Amino acid sequence: MSNKERVYNFSAGPSMLPLEVMEEAAKDMVNYKGCGMSVMEMSHRSKDFASIIETAEADLRELMNIPANYKVMFLQGGGSTQFAMVPLNLFRKSMKADYIVSGAWAKKAAAEAKRFGTVNVLASSEDTVFDHIPVPDPATYTKDADYFYICQNNTIYGSRYTWLPETGDVPLVSDMSSCILSEQVDVSKFGLIFAGAQKNIGPAGVTIVIMREDLIGFAPESCPTMLNYKTHADANSLYNTPPCFAIYVAGLTFQWLKANGGVPAMEARNKEKAAMLYKAIDESKLFRCPVAEKDRSLMNVVFVTGNGDLDKKFVADAKAAGLVNLGGHRSVGGMRASIYNAMPKAGVEKLIAFMEQFEKENL
Ligand SMILES: *Cc1c(COP(=O)(O)O)cnc(C)c1O
């Protein structure tokens, strides 16, 4: 298998994975480390799989400096199931929660939470098509809220938080689906972090939840067993069959991250890649980025020409040049280059060169 046959894939998710990770998985595909079977075929109760899931957790803990009083869970149902699990498990006293609506995923999460309690939307940037992270007045925070919810990187609109709300004793919940492991975070500032794996970690099918232990165990009696974090925390993610193969590949990505300088090195590289691309957009006469400069995402770079037909031509021509999946989300159009950890700098350089060429030919 050669790198030459592969394209630069700018998909927002599922997205590009490190080639080394897939080659390692391919090498062991039908016979995992001499055990005579694939990871897909082995019992989740086997010694081999125990070692896979335990190593994956240990590596993630090391990469993110996860404190000992946090549980790490490998769940199913994607980020979207977390939109319900969070309120189901965290509403417990006032039955009130604060939400900042910075994009479509946060909006969906808030709508889901409304089924279970009172949702206070403290701020929203929907009226300007989520072109910035809205900043609520701290005086409006609900003092006795059961939790405070943010979506830290807005995959569709290309914005990210560069600050965190000071919520005091109110647990902060963050959807990090599209930014986990892209830059350093202080896990101790959060009550709960979740992330679907298919953006920056591995194949679809596993969702990572990092949860402070003292918040576990307060779901109501009516909470379905599988939606209760306590079920999975107590069973070390082995209450039922977990997504074994997805966890295995995620573990390989964690090893790849460790071998490549960990999160600090990824952060430096991600900032460099994003800065190069935003600079090219800002200096261009054809392209522009609709997102407020201070809130621009490091992972999902959104840009437009202002002409829908030209945007479509760009996406098609780029595809022909081996730069694929550059179309914006179906709800917004335009272009989006998702440049997660696995996207090498060379891919961003090739995109910039293509943009310059396209501008010359189409302006
Ligand atoms: C993709 C995404 C989701 C939804 O994830 P699914 O796994 O498809 O349910 C939620 N939040 C964010 C920020 C995302 O990027």
Side-chain angles (χ1 to χ4, degrees):
M1 192 191 309
S2 92
N3 221 332
K4 283 193 200 107
E5 295 154 24
R6 284 176 55 81
V7 292
Y8 286 118
N9 178 9
F10 293 90
S11 170
S15 33
M16 192 168 175
L17 290 176
L19 184 65
E20 294 93 325
V21 164
M22 286 180 293
E23 282 176 342
E24 173 77 14
K27 180 167 72 66
D28 284 345
M29 182 67 82
V30 301
N31 188 355
Y32 176 74
K33 303 215 182 300
C35 80
M37 66 180 83
S38 167
V39 173
M40 285 182 275
E41 302 169 299
M42 63 175 62
S43 165
H44 59 294
R45 312 271 174 213
S46 65
K47 247 196 189 143
D48 282 311
F49 188 72
S51 160
I52 287 170
I53 193 168
E54 283 162 18
T55 305
E57 176 175 339
D59 287 341
L60 181 64
R61 284 186 175 277
E62 186 181 327
L63 284 163
M64 291 182 73
N65 290 314
I66 300 174
N69 63 323
Y70 283 72
K71 283 277 185 190
V72 173
M73 292 171 251
F74 297 98
L75 307 183
Q76 304 193 54
S80 300
T81 297
Q82 293 309 307
F83 299 167
M85 276 179 84
V86 164
L88 251 170
N89 285 266
L90 295 187
F91 274 138
R92 54 190 264 213
K93 291 185 201 139
S94 69
M95 306 303 281
K96 290 185 265 186
D98 286 345
Y99 278 69
I100 299 180
V101 173
S102 56
W105 295 119
K107 191 180 168 186
K108 279 194 172 164
E112 194 75 346
K114 273 188 200 138
R115 298 171 188 274
F116 306 103
T118 304
V119 168
N120 296 317
V121 174
L122 298 184
S124 167
S125 47
E126 188 171 14
D127 58 347
T128 53
V129 203
F130 300 118
D131 64 353
H132 67 285
I133 302 288
V135 183
D137 176 356
T140 64
Y141 293 7
T142 306
K143 299 282 173 300
D144 62 343
D146 284 333
Y147 65 95
F148 190 120
Y149 184 102
I150 61 170
C151 176
Q152 218 156 322
N153 183 76
N154 296 284
T155 325
I156 297 174
Y157 306 93
S159 66
R160 100 187 206 274
Y161 283 74
T162 53
W163 55 278
L164 290 177
E166 293 286 344
T167 61
D169 290 338
V170 176
L172 182 61
V173 174
S174 177
D175 177 356
M176 292 194 193
S177 291
S178 51
C179 59
I180 190 166
L181 295 165
S182 68
E183 57 181 327
Q184 291 166 278
V185 294
D186 179 353
V187 173
S188 71
K189 288 204 156 53
F190 300 88
L192 189 154
I193 292 166
F194 71 84
Q198 72 272 23
K199 304 318 180 357
N200 210 14
I201 293 176
V206 59
T207 304
I208 289 172
V209 175
I210 301 164
M211 185 173 187
R212 218 175 64 210
E213 269 170 0
D214 64 293
L215 300 172
I216 300 172
F218 298 97
E221 265 304 305
S222 60
C223 180
T225 308
M226 281 295 289
L227 299 183
N228 192 330
Y229 290 120
K230 188 166 168 34
T231 303
H232 304 288
D234 287 352
N236 293 318
S237 306
L238 292 169
Y239 170 76
N240 71 326
T241 318
C244 300
F245 194 77
I247 292 169
Y248 160 63
V249 178
L252 294 179
T253 300
F254 300 152
Q255 280 166 25
W256 178 84
L257 287 168
K258 281 174 63 176
N260 285 279
V263 179
M266 285 301 132
E267 175 172 339
R269 198 170 81 142
N270 289 331
K271 285 184 169 160
E272 189 190 1
K273 288 181 325 195
M276 282 164 51
L277 191 46
Y278 285 119
K279 182 167 179 282
I281 294 165
D282 288 341
E283 288 178 359
S284 131
K285 290 194 181 66
L286 182 62
F287 303 106
R288 94 189 154 74
C289 171
V291 183
E293 209 171 322
K294 64 178 186 5
D295 296 334
R296 289 175 176 178
S297 171
L298 300 178
M299 298 281 95
N300 312 99
V301 177
V302 167
F303 55 103
V304 295
T305 65
N307 171 340
D309 291 335
L310 198 55
D311 288 351
K312 284 200 190 82
K313 182 174 192 304
F314 178 89
V315 173
D317 289 4
K319 184 177 176 194
L323 303 161
V324 312
N325 286 321
L326 279 162
H329 189 265
R330 56 199 152 82
S331 65
V332 289
M335 278 78 74
R336 171 176 54 175
S338 294
I339 50 173
Y340 298 114
N341 287 342
M343 175 61 68
K345 194 173 145 187
V348 176
E349 285 166 347
K350 190 170 174 197
L351 172 60
I352 291 170
F354 177 81
M355 289 166 73
E356 285 167 357
Q357 186 62 32
F358 186 88
E359 177 164 339
K360 264 190 213 133
E361 289 164 7
N362 292 278
L363 191 67

Short mmCIF file of all heavy atoms in Angstrom, two decimals, residues 77-81 83 105 151 153 155 175 177-178 196 198-199, ligand 1:
data_model
loop_
_atom_site.label_atom_id
_atom_site.label_comp_id
_atom_site.label_asym_id
_atom_site.label_seq_id
_atom_site.Cartn_x
_atom_site.Cartn_y
_atom_site.Cartn_z
N GLY A 77 -23.34 4.91 20.46
CA GLY A 77 -24.44 5.86 20.27
C GLY A 77 -23.99 7.23 19.77
O GLY A 77 -24.82 8.10 19.54
N GLY A 78 -22.70 7.45 19.61
CA GLY A 78 -22.21 8.70 19.05
C GLY A 78 -22.38 9.88 19.99
O GLY A 78 -22.95 9.76 21.08
N GLY A 79 -21.92 11.03 19.52
CA GLY A 79 -22.09 12.26 20.28
C GLY A 79 -23.56 12.53 20.55
O GLY A 79 -23.94 13.00 21.62
N SER A 80 -24.41 12.17 19.59
CA SER A 80 -25.83 12.50 19.71
C SER A 80 -26.51 11.81 20.89
O SER A 80 -27.44 12.38 21.48
CB SER A 80 -26.55 12.13 18.40
OG SER A 80 -25.98 12.84 17.32
N THR A 81 -26.08 10.61 21.25
CA THR A 81 -26.67 9.95 22.42
C THR A 81 -26.27 10.68 23.71
O THR A 81 -27.03 10.70 24.69
CB THR A 81 -26.26 8.47 22.45
OG1 THR A 81 -26.80 7.84 21.29
CG2 THR A 81 -26.81 7.74 23.68
N PHE A 83 -26.22 13.79 24.00
CA PHE A 83 -27.14 14.93 24.18
C PHE A 83 -28.27 14.55 25.15
O PHE A 83 -28.81 15.41 25.84
CB PHE A 83 -27.76 15.35 22.83
CG PHE A 83 -26.77 15.82 21.80
CD1 PHE A 83 -27.15 15.97 20.48
CD2 PHE A 83 -25.46 16.15 22.15
CE1 PHE A 83 -26.25 16.42 19.52
CE2 PHE A 83 -24.54 16.60 21.20
CZ PHE A 83 -24.94 16.73 19.87
N TRP A 105 -24.87 21.70 16.77
CA TRP A 105 -24.76 20.58 17.72
C TRP A 105 -25.17 21.00 19.12
O TRP A 105 -25.85 20.25 19.84
CB TRP A 105 -23.34 20.00 17.72
CG TRP A 105 -22.96 19.37 16.41
CD1 TRP A 105 -21.94 19.74 15.59
CD2 TRP A 105 -23.60 18.24 15.77
NE1 TRP A 105 -21.91 18.92 14.48
CE2 TRP A 105 -22.90 18.01 14.57
CE3 TRP A 105 -24.69 17.44 16.09
CZ2 TRP A 105 -23.26 16.98 13.68
CZ3 TRP A 105 -25.05 16.43 15.21
CH2 TRP A 105 -24.34 16.20 14.03
N CYS A 151 -20.39 23.49 23.61
CA CYS A 151 -19.82 22.68 22.52
C CYS A 151 -18.54 23.40 22.12
O CYS A 151 -18.58 24.49 21.55
CB CYS A 151 -20.79 22.60 21.34
SG CYS A 151 -20.09 21.72 19.92
N ASN A 153 -15.91 23.03 20.09
CA ASN A 153 -15.50 23.33 18.71
C ASN A 153 -16.70 23.06 17.81
O ASN A 153 -17.27 21.97 17.83
CB ASN A 153 -14.32 22.46 18.29
CG ASN A 153 -13.82 22.80 16.89
OD1 ASN A 153 -13.14 23.80 16.69
ND2 ASN A 153 -14.18 21.98 15.92
N THR A 155 -18.04 22.23 14.64
CA THR A 155 -17.58 21.51 13.45
C THR A 155 -18.16 22.08 12.15
O THR A 155 -17.47 22.13 11.14
CB THR A 155 -18.01 20.03 13.59
OG1 THR A 155 -17.94 19.66 14.96
CG2 THR A 155 -17.15 19.12 12.76
N ASP A 175 -18.83 19.24 24.90
CA ASP A 175 -18.80 18.39 23.71
C ASP A 175 -17.48 18.70 22.98
O ASP A 175 -17.33 19.77 22.39
CB ASP A 175 -20.01 18.70 22.83
CG ASP A 175 -20.02 17.90 21.51
OD1 ASP A 175 -19.05 17.16 21.25
OD2 ASP A 175 -21.01 18.03 20.76
N SER A 177 -16.23 16.67 20.59
CA SER A 177 -16.18 15.69 19.50
C SER A 177 -15.17 16.05 18.41
O SER A 177 -14.50 15.18 17.87
CB SER A 177 -17.57 15.55 18.85
OG SER A 177 -18.46 14.93 19.75
N SER A 178 -15.09 17.34 18.07
CA SER A 178 -14.22 17.69 16.94
C SER A 178 -12.96 18.43 17.36
O SER A 178 -12.27 18.99 16.51
CB SER A 178 -15.01 18.52 15.92
OG SER A 178 -15.66 19.59 16.55
N GLY A 196 -17.34 11.93 20.22
CA GLY A 196 -17.45 10.83 19.27
C GLY A 196 -16.06 10.67 18.64
O GLY A 196 -15.37 11.65 18.39
N GLN A 198 -15.05 9.62 15.70
CA GLN A 198 -14.82 9.63 14.25
C GLN A 198 -14.28 10.93 13.68
O GLN A 198 -14.06 11.03 12.48
CB GLN A 198 -16.10 9.23 13.51
CG GLN A 198 -17.22 10.26 13.52
CD GLN A 198 -18.13 10.16 14.73
OE1 GLN A 198 -17.75 9.64 15.76
NE2 GLN A 198 -19.34 10.68 14.62
N LYS A 199 -14.06 11.94 14.52
CA LYS A 199 -13.46 13.18 14.02
C LYS A 199 -11.94 13.14 14.19
O LYS A 199 -11.21 13.26 13.23
CB LYS A 199 -14.01 14.42 14.75
CG LYS A 199 -15.53 14.68 14.80
CD LYS A 199 -16.31 14.48 13.64
CE LYS A 199 -17.77 14.68 13.49
NZ LYS A 199 -18.67 15.06 14.49
C1 LIG B 1 -20.17 15.15 14.74
C2 LIG B 1 -20.55 15.85 15.98
C3 LIG B 1 -21.59 15.42 16.81
C4 LIG B 1 -22.49 14.26 16.45
O1 LIG B 1 -21.82 13.10 16.52
P1 LIG B 1 -22.48 11.69 16.12
O2 LIG B 1 -21.44 10.74 16.58
O3 LIG B 1 -22.73 11.70 14.66
O4 LIG B 1 -23.74 11.56 16.91
C5 LIG B 1 -21.83 16.10 17.98
N1 LIG B 1 -21.09 17.17 18.33
C6 LIG B 1 -20.08 17.63 17.54
C7 LIG B 1 -19.31 18.82 17.97
C8 LIG B 1 -19.79 16.99 16.36
O5 LIG B 1 -18.79 17.45 15.58
#
